[in-house]
Amino acid sequence: MVLSAPRRALASALFTTLALAACGSDRDPLDSATGTPTAGPSGGPGGGPPDDPTGTSNGTSETGGPSQGTCAEYLACVAVVTPEALPDVEMALGPDGTCWHGPPELVQACLDSCASGLTSLATVYPDEPACSSGAVDTTGEPTGTTGPTTSAGETTSTSDDPPVTTMTTSGGPCSDPPGQPNGSECTDSSGCGCLSGKCFLVPALGGWCSECLVDADCDGGGCTAANPVAGGSAVCNDGGPGDGCMTDAACSDPTNDICGTVIEAPGLITVSTCGECETDADCPAQTPVCAPTYNIGLFTGRFDCVAVGSVPDNGGCASDEACASGSCGVADVMGLIEFGVCGECNSDNDCGPGGQCDPASVNGNMLSGATCL
């Protein structure tokens, strides 16, 4: 899946949350999954312009909630240039979005995401007034014309060192250096800076020049998505068990020929792989339950047919029937990603008199099922 600039900003906040959940422990690798924050344009409170009504000098809004900085301007820009992404972005970065109900570290990550996202869109769409507040040059000052422009949109200069401008396929400026090989970092969704012409964008870390963006880019098999936690380019595969896919057609192993979605943040990230099943209806009578196996560190997994009650605590599940305990709980990340995991309980009632059910959680690169306290 390719993430547009708006969705990258939202995903950045999401994966900052994953990292924050692991802070203060020896967990790895999710505890290092944050990206480098990008400072927003200077000006009024919260990074907004001097007359920005959304912030105050103490970093909170006038109603007592967290300042939303440049996010209003960012949403206005998204609404014009990529309107199809607006509902997903508003879910987290809108006035009552998920971002503003989390800890201060998450709020700051969201503010940074709005600022960097606005700057990115202003670079890609330099002539769009709705995005103009994010336009900055390499010194952090508002952009201006450095010289006359040609009819093709390339900037000329009166200095001794004329700039080199790479263009996107739509005619706008490219935000990446040209001619980069696979594995190189990239930020422009057009792929204008990649030799392959494909920049697979991932949350928080940006993106990498890659072999593929979709299955159709590969000669047989499917496209394995880049890892949004550890990073790395997206690559073509042969359609074997656990390989990335978009449809069943990409899966070549006759025993793992069903493409199922194992991890999903709606509108942001979808990880689908070749496995034995996607629902219980795909499984034979002797192993009638379809259950996921997750690899959190690699941000992937696959579905297998298993016997009733065969999955131990902390193992992946899609229903109570899979679990030896009879309890399949949900490990939730920011309300956007859910991992099914077997545990001791689903509610306090499962724990006996006076007991409490501590819910399932994501602990670094491991899933922990719910436990009775």
Side-chain angles (χ1 to χ4, degrees):
M1 175 183 178
V2 185
L3 298 182
S4 64
R7 285 173 175 150
R8 288 202 310 276
L10 178 53
S12 174
L14 169 65
F15 281 90
T16 296
T17 302
L18 279 172
L20 289 173
C23 284
S25 74
D26 296 324
R27 298 159 188 165
D28 177 73
L30 285 176
D31 56 356
S32 59
T34 56
T36 302
T38 302
S42 60
D51 59 349
D52 184 359
T54 63
T56 65
S57 59
N58 64 2
T60 61
S61 70
E62 293 179 353
T63 59
S67 166
Q68 296 181 13
T70 59
C71 290
E73 293 94 325
Y74 178 56
L75 290 169
C77 174
V78 171
V80 174
V81 300
T82 54
E84 72 282 357
L86 185 61
D88 295 326
V89 179
E90 284 184 322
M91 181 169 60
L93 299 173
D96 193 38
T98 312
C99 277
W100 319 120
H101 301 286
E105 296 90 346
L106 175 59
V107 172
Q108 185 59 53
C110 292
L111 293 172
D112 292 338
S113 295
C114 286
S116 61
L118 184 59
T119 299
S120 176
L121 290 180
T123 301
V124 177
Y125 302 97
D127 298 324
E128 175 49 58
C131 305
S132 61
S133 63
V136 294
D137 63 19
T138 55
T139 66
E141 297 297 325
T143 56
T145 303
T146 57
T149 58
T150 68
S151 59
E154 296 180 355
T155 302
T156 61
S157 174
T158 56
S159 69
D160 294 333
D161 299 310
V164 176
T165 302
T166 304
M167 309 301 288
T168 66
T169 54
S170 63
C174 183
S175 58
D176 294 323
Q180 298 185 104
N182 288 342
S184 300
E185 293 185 2
C186 56
T187 60
D188 200 305
S189 61
S190 73
C192 55
C194 302
L195 282 173
S196 66
K198 301 175 179 66
C199 177
F200 196 110
L201 295 169
V202 295
L205 300 177
W208 285 264
C209 294
S210 297
E211 290 182 347
C212 57
L213 302 179
V214 294
D215 289 350
D217 295 332
C218 302
D219 185 14
C223 182
T224 295
N227 183 343
V229 177
S233 62
V235 296
C236 291
N237 59 62
D238 62 7
D243 283 344
C245 58
M246 296 178 69
T247 67
D248 293 350
C251 302
S252 60
D253 187 318
T255 64
N256 288 265
D257 58 356
I258 297 177
C259 184
T261 298
V262 290
I263 301 174
E264 181 176 27
L268 295 176
I269 306 159
T270 299
V271 177
S272 299
T273 62
C274 297
E276 294 180 347
C277 57
E278 188 173 22
T279 68
D280 291 352
D282 300 319
C283 296
Q286 62 271 28
T287 51
V289 181
C290 187
T293 299
Y294 298 112
N295 187 321
I296 303 300
L298 296 181
F299 208 73
T300 189
R302 76 178 198 193
F303 282 103
D304 293 305
C305 293
V306 301
V308 173
S310 62
V311 179
D313 287 353
N314 306 324
C317 58
S319 65
D320 291 342
E321 288 76 15
C323 303
S325 65
S327 297
C328 180
V330 174
D332 180 276
V333 181
M334 198 175 149
L336 294 177
I337 298 180
E338 294 183 347
F339 297 97
V341 54
C342 294
E344 297 178 359
C345 53
N346 281 327
S347 69
D348 292 349
N349 292 334
D350 299 327
C351 297
Q356 285 186 307
C357 185
D358 189 34
S361 61
V362 179
N363 297 312
N365 62 347
M366 301 292 291
L367 290 174
S368 294
T371 57
C372 288
L373 301 177

